Amino acid sequence: KAGVTQTPRYLIKTRGQQVTLSCSPISGHRSVSWYQQTPGQGLQFLFEYFSETQRNKGNFPGRFSGRQFSNSRSEMNVSTLELGDSALYLCASSLEGITNYGYTFGSGTRLTVV
Amino acid sequence: KNEVEQSPQNLTAQEGEFITINCSYSVGISALHWLQQHPGGGIVSLFMLSSGKKKHGRLIATINIQEKHSSLHITASHPRDSAVYICAAPPLRGDKLIFGTGTRLQVFP
C-alpha cells in the first residue's frame, strides 16, 4: 500500500512570505500529526488532527496552523515566514492516534527561508 | 531538563561491535518508541514497547517502566546501521510525541 506522501520535498521561501505544506496519509488512517525538526531544537510536535479536528497542539506561535480534509489529507500553513522557520517538516499518519497505534512518517518537506 | 533524555549524543563503532543507546524519561507514558533517521531525513519507526523486551533482527529494545529507562541494542553492527536513533515518548494524555535529542551512530568497516 502507498506510504505517507508529503509535498513538496523541498521549498525555498523569502522572509515574510507564507507557505503551505501537504501530507497525504496512508489510506484508512484518520490521524495526521506534524513535527518540526531543526538542528538546534531537534524534533518538536506541532499539532495533530483526527477526523478533521485538531486534537492536540504543541508550543508554536499562531503563525503555524493546519487543517485536515474529509479524505484525511492534511495541510499545514506557516504565515509571515522567519529565518528560524527553516527546518524539516515531517508528518506522521496513524490509524487512530500515535499513543496506542503504529504510525508511519512521510519523507518530509525541507523548507529553507532566505 | 528535557522530559526525554538520550545518551550518548554521538557514537562511533567498528563493524561487528555491540551498540547500546540509552533513553530516560520523566513523564508518565503509555509506550516508548524508538525511531531511526537516515541522512536525507526519512524516519522509520523501529519499536513501540510498553514493557519488557522486543527483538527485530539484530535490534533489541528493552524498557524498565519503574526506572523510566529504555535501551536500544544493536548486535553485530554494520555500516548500514549508521543513522540517528531517536527515542520518543507519548505522554499519557494527548496524542503527540516528545522526542529525545537523538544519538548519531557511525559504524565503520
Side-chain angles (χ1 to χ4, degrees), chain A residues 23-33 48-55 67-74 92-98 101-102, chain B residues 95:
Chain A
C23 174
S24 293
I26 289 172
S27 178
H29 284 193
R30 295 193 291 166
S31 166
V32 174
S33 49
E48 188 242 358
Y49 286 87
F50 180 81
S51 292
E52 301 180 65
T53 301
Q54 187 181 84
R55 197 159 61 169
R67 58 177 175 170
Q68 187 179 32
F69 301 95
S70 58
N71 62 357
S72 291
R73 188 177 73 86
S74 177
S93 121
S94 174
L95 193 63
E96 297 279 333
I98 272 179
Y101 294 86
Chain B
D95 251 296

Side-chain angles (χ1 to χ4, degrees), chain A residues 9-10 33 35 37 43-45 48 55-58 88 90 96-107 110, chain B residues 30-31 33-35 37 40-45 47-48 86 88 90-101:
Chain A
R9 286 298 309 276
Y10 302 93
S33 49
Y35 303 86
Q37 186 177 38
L43 273 160
Q44 293 183 287
F45 170 77
E48 188 242 358
R55 197 159 61 169
N56 286 285
K57 192 176 188 305
L88 178 67
L90 292 152
E96 297 279 333
I98 272 179
T99 301
N100 294 313
Y101 294 86
Y103 54 91
T104 303
F105 278 91
S107 298
R110 189 166 295 280
Chain B
S30 55
H33 300 245
W34 282 100
L35 314 173
Q37 185 174 32
I43 290 181
V44 173
S45 174
F47 295 103
M48 181 172 73
I86 304 166
L92 286 172
R93 292 189 180 178
D95 251 296
K96 62 179 183 178
L97 289 170
I98 302 174
F99 299 91
T101 50

